[in-house]
Amino acid sequence: MHLNNFKELSSQQLNDLVDMAIEVKQHPKKHEEELEQKSLALIFQKTSTRTRVSFEVAMTQLGGHALYIDWRTTNFGLSDIGDEMQYLSRNVDGIMARLLHNADLQKMMQASRVPVINGCDEMYHPSQCLADLITIKEKHGSLKGAKLVYVGVHNNVCNSLIEGCTKTGVELTTVTPIFNEASRDQALLDEAKQTGLWTATLDLKGAVADADFVYTDTWVDMEFFTGAKFAAEKEKRLKQMMPYQINAELLKGSNAYVMHDMPIHRGYEISAETVECEKSVIYEQAENRLYSAKAILLELLK
Ligand code: CP
């Protein structure tokens, strides 16, 4: 079994994964030998802090071993992805990959003899969403009935939130004036719409008014943030998105927790004072990436 997104998981299985992550967080000692002698390859085409650290530390704390592989220092770029995966999956017990394109991840999954985990591409970010669900459950007590508002660009993180929330009973409102077409998964959106748990609006104030959680993400994907080719689009986006910044004025009168998947661009999608405000759970949410990784690894590799 692989983890590309949450499509292969039933609502019950996704809820169980959240509960497993919380249990592992509460009782780390119980699980410290469960992946003994197992190896996980971490392949990165893009930069990362949390995804790399959380999966690497998770493997160590579960008794196994992780090896970091920078795509550019391998022969993946020179060869057929399937051939390289045929080799790699004969030497490790699992593979976590952060790639630019989901199509390449799917090629990896087809060729691999061991589970492959999506560490974020242009379409999905499932391990992030699992950490988000853990955080919501810890703060709200239950996923069912929690009200989450996502404000930002409709991107990979937004897709995974739509999928994760509608499968676990979280009532999600998205406020996304820009839609990243590279991230579009119309089937996912159509299925989510049918649950009645996902609403899309541009009425930011109205959406935030009775939210339990307000969540934002970068307006520009990491691979484009410093690129000269994307500079004009970046400027356009920043201008269009500024009225949708999460800040003290927007949150006046709201009791919502503030979430962000990090890395943060202070002064853009969120103001500096909001990152540090009393209701911010951003760092706890990031800490939960470790328990998200552990639950995924135990589920797929044990
Ligand atoms: N949220 C997230 O995936 O962080 P990194 O890009 O640092 O891994």
Side-chain angles (χ1 to χ4, degrees):
M1 183 186 159
H2 303 301
L3 183 71
N4 181 19
N5 45 43
F6 294 138
K7 281 183 190 171
E8 303 303 321
L9 297 183
S10 66
S11 292
Q12 186 62 49
Q13 285 171 319
L14 184 53
N15 273 298
D16 289 348
L17 205 54
V18 175
D19 290 341
M20 190 204 293
I22 293 172
E23 194 277 331
V24 171
K25 183 175 180 177
Q26 289 166 347
H27 306 287
K29 286 244 163 258
K30 246 176 78 183
H31 303 278
E32 64 188 10
E33 291 174 1
E34 286 186 297
L35 295 186
E36 204 172 1
Q37 294 299 319
K38 303 255 188 207
S39 292
L40 177 75
L42 306 172
I43 305 181
F44 285 87
Q45 275 184 337
K46 300 195 277 182
T47 56
S48 168
T49 306
R50 279 143 292 275
T51 304
R52 175 181 178 177
V53 171
S54 59
F55 276 94
E56 204 165 323
V57 172
M59 279 305 284
T60 304
Q61 292 187 0
L62 294 170
H65 165 252
L67 52 152
Y68 173 78
I69 304 173
D70 180 339
W71 179 273
R72 289 161 300 184
T73 64
T74 69
N75 287 328
F76 269 94
L78 299 179
S79 181
D80 180 81
I81 288 177
D83 289 339
E84 290 296 277
M85 285 299 281
Q86 282 289 345
Y87 156 67
L88 185 60
S89 63
R90 281 170 161 79
N91 272 205
V92 297
D93 304 284
I95 296 158
M96 200 281 311
R98 168 169 285 192
L99 303 188
L100 289 163
H101 304 296
N102 188 258
D104 286 339
L105 189 82
Q106 290 191 39
K107 283 184 200 158
M108 280 188 159
M109 289 174 170
Q110 276 156 19
S112 179
R113 297 156 65 110
V114 298
V116 177
I117 300 160
N118 188 345
C120 183
D121 54 34
E122 87 284 22
M123 302 287 290
Y124 316 108
H125 199 351
S127 62
Q128 177 63 55
C129 183
L130 184 57
D132 303 339
L133 295 173
I134 297 165
T135 311
I136 294 168
K137 186 149 190 177
E138 286 178 333
K139 294 293 168 194
H140 190 258
S142 66
L143 291 173
K144 205 168 164 49
K147 290 189 171 71
L148 172 67
V149 175
Y150 171 85
V151 187
V153 170
H154 190 123
N155 58 10
N156 47 5
V157 168
C158 184
N159 275 343
S160 288
L161 278 175
I162 289 172
E163 200 176 27
C165 289
T166 55
K167 283 205 163 184
T168 57
V170 175
E171 294 170 28
L172 174 67
T173 303
T174 56
V175 184
T176 57
I178 296 177
F179 198 114
N180 241 1
E181 279 306 322
S183 306
R184 184 177 288 281
D185 179 343
Q186 197 56 48
L188 180 153
L189 303 182
D190 292 344
E191 199 170 317
K193 265 274 178 262
Q194 283 174 11
T195 65
L197 289 165
W198 170 45
T199 311
T201 179
L202 288 181
D203 175 11
L204 179 58
K205 259 293 191 206
V208 165
D210 70 339
D212 298 310
F213 299 87
V214 176
Y215 188 132
T216 190
D217 182 24
T218 181
W219 294 334
V220 179
D221 283 355
M222 62 176 72
E223 62 268 39
F224 301 123
F225 214 86
T226 51
K229 261 169 74 181
F230 201 74
E233 174 65 20
K234 181 178 160 188
E235 276 316 300
K236 197 174 121 202
R237 280 193 184 193
L238 298 185
K239 217 178 258 169
Q240 192 177 343
M241 292 302 299
M242 274 318 283
Y244 295 87
Q245 183 189 69
I246 307 301
N247 54 35
E249 174 61 26
L250 174 70
L251 296 176
K252 211 182 270 173
S254 161
N255 200 30
Y257 289 106
V258 176
M259 300 178 75
H260 189 306
D261 56 313
M262 304 182 81
I264 298 164
H265 307 96
R266 290 175 176 228
Y268 292 96
E269 70 271 10
I270 188 165
S271 66
E273 86 265 4
T274 307
V275 173
E276 290 160 21
C277 75
E278 209 181 302
K279 295 297 282 188
S280 168
V281 292
I282 293 170
Y283 304 136
E284 287 171 70
Q285 179 188 358
E287 180 192 336
N288 281 336
R289 289 295 305 272
L290 177 61
Y291 310 107
S292 159
K294 284 189 177 185
I296 292 167
L297 292 168
L298 287 172
E299 184 65 25
L300 296 184
L301 267 60
K302 204 171 119 182

